[in-house]
Amino acid sequence: MTVETAIFEIARRLAREPSPVERAVVLYEDGSALELSGSPTGVSIPLVAAGHGRAVAVVHTHPVPRSAPSLPDLQVLFAMARLGVERPRMVTVYSGAGGVVVTVYTLKSPPPPGAEELVARHALSYERLSVDTGFDPRVSEKQLREQHALLSRLGISVERYRLPPERSVAG
């Protein structure tokens, strides 16, 4: 199974299992996966696991109305790159009334000098705005558009997928 296939299988499963806390699945170099749970606003990610190697992708939920990456999400992506992971991926999964939004951030090349600080400053302003507005989805959408433009200039691709809501089967 490719990393891309695993990402979407995990995203669909996480979307089917709503939780009031962030949940994450970390994919490692050897193909293993580690499932984690955290708080409503975060989860700690072990980027290196004995016997499994480095994290190559992190798929995690955002239980608050947010489809844009948080500052810690972007910090984890850069940290994977600093560890020497080729094409690290950070994936957010947000389930709302209209379906599931899966956003894949892939660092395609080493970031230029100063990129992490620039992204951190930009993301921090949105962190504050998100909290101040009670995680208004419009703030997340505005952040996503602005960050997409910034991230693409820094060698980070942003792919966004909308999955239809799961339909239950009556028995």
Side-chain angles (χ1 to χ4, degrees):
M1 174 182 327
T2 66
V3 171
E4 291 80 11
T5 302
I7 285 171
F8 283 99
E9 285 182 12
I10 292 165
R12 280 187 174 92
R13 182 173 53 78
L14 289 174
R16 280 192 304 267
E17 303 166 356
S19 172
V21 299
E22 268 196 28
R23 296 176 53 226
V25 177
V26 184
L27 300 174
Y28 291 98
E29 290 174 306
D30 70 349
S32 65
L34 174 64
E35 294 197 32
L36 304 161
S37 292
S39 73
T41 57
V43 60
S44 294
I45 306 295
L47 295 178
V48 178
H52 301 292
R54 300 168 295 180
V56 297
V58 175
V59 183
H60 75 291
T61 61
H62 277 173
V64 296
R66 176 187 216 156
S67 56
S70 66
L71 176 55
D73 295 345
L74 295 168
Q75 289 171 328
V76 167
L77 182 66
F78 284 120
M80 287 190 284
R82 282 194 307 276
L83 287 171
V85 174
E86 194 172 313
R87 296 178 56 87
R89 294 172 182 88
M90 170 58 68
V91 182
T92 62
V93 179
Y94 172 68
S95 300
V100 177
V101 177
V102 178
T103 311
V104 181
Y105 302 88
T106 305
L107 206 153
K108 293 188 170 196
S109 60
E116 287 186 62
E117 293 82 13
L118 175 64
V119 169
R121 281 195 312 274
H122 186 268
L124 186 57
S125 65
Y126 274 103
E127 291 295 314
R128 290 183 186 127
L129 186 58
S130 290
V131 170
D132 290 348
T133 62
F135 293 97
D136 183 332
R138 294 172 298 183
V139 171
S140 182
E141 287 302 313
K142 183 177 187 308
Q143 176 186 6
L144 191 67
R145 284 192 305 277
E146 290 180 8
Q147 266 186 340
H148 182 158
L150 173 63
L151 296 175
S152 66
R153 289 192 304 270
L154 299 175
I156 299 171
S157 71
V158 181
E159 300 170 82
R160 191 173 196 193
Y161 304 91
R162 290 188 184 274
L163 308 177
E166 293 283 329
R167 289 188 169 78
S168 60
V169 179

